[in-house]
Amino acid sequence: MRKQIKKREDKDLEITMGNLLRFGVLFSAIIVVAGAFVYLQQHSFDKSTYIPFTGEPERLTAYKRIWQTAFQGRGRSIIQLGLLFLIATPIARIIFSIVGFALEKDLLYTIITGIVLTVVLYGFL
């Protein structure tokens, strides 16, 4: 009886994590496409200038500035925000896994997933 309950809990956790990934990617794609439309609307008739490459502006590389400029309606910042949400989706899955394993009282998987989260966040930051 206990094994049957455990299997159902595992299946529910898998379904929820799958939905989290699915909707996270869909949400990110919608933001990126919206940003692309805004960018093309703002810059569709710009002439190309081939000047030396200077790198990305700070408003596209700092998290706080991406957030601020995306809400100002800047197309490239909206696209960048969508990409940040895309990166955050698997991190949210890892966090959700930790919570799920902790609720199931599975100490080994909780610890292993915590280590995975630490490594991913260390690499990200």
Side-chain angles (χ1 to χ4, degrees):
M1 182 70 168
R2 175 74 179 131
K3 233 180 200 185
Q4 214 172 23
I5 293 171
K6 176 84 168 142
K7 284 183 181 180
R8 191 178 75 224
E9 290 173 353
D10 289 345
K11 187 71 173 172
D12 292 343
L13 186 63
E14 289 175 20
I15 290 170
T16 305
M17 282 193 286
N19 287 335
L20 175 70
L21 288 174
R22 184 177 303 115
F23 291 123
V25 170
L26 181 64
F27 180 68
S28 300
I30 290 170
I31 293 174
V32 168
V33 169
F37 280 125
V38 170
Y39 181 78
L40 289 174
Q41 182 184 20
Q42 294 170 346
H43 300 282
S44 59
F45 296 107
D46 289 355
K47 285 194 170 235
S48 296
T49 56
Y50 298 103
I51 57 174
F53 180 73
T54 57
E56 294 297 327
E58 185 260 341
R59 68 180 170 82
L60 295 175
T61 58
Y63 305 124
K64 186 176 180 180
R65 294 283 292 147
I66 291 170
W67 189 261
Q68 291 170 344
T69 55
F71 283 104
Q72 292 172 357
R74 301 191 71 152
R76 288 174 62 189
S77 297
I78 296 171
I79 293 170
Q80 200 77 337
L81 182 65
L83 294 176
L84 284 177
F85 277 117
L86 185 65
I87 292 168
T89 299
I91 295 172
R93 182 191 187 274
I94 295 170
I95 292 169
F96 184 81
S97 297
I98 291 172
V99 172
F101 291 138
L103 290 175
E104 290 182 357
K105 296 179 177 73
D106 194 339
L107 184 62
L108 178 63
Y109 282 116
T110 303
I111 292 170
I112 291 171
T113 310
I115 292 169
V116 169
L117 178 65
T118 304
V119 170
V120 168
L121 289 178
Y122 177 77
F124 184 68
L125 300 175

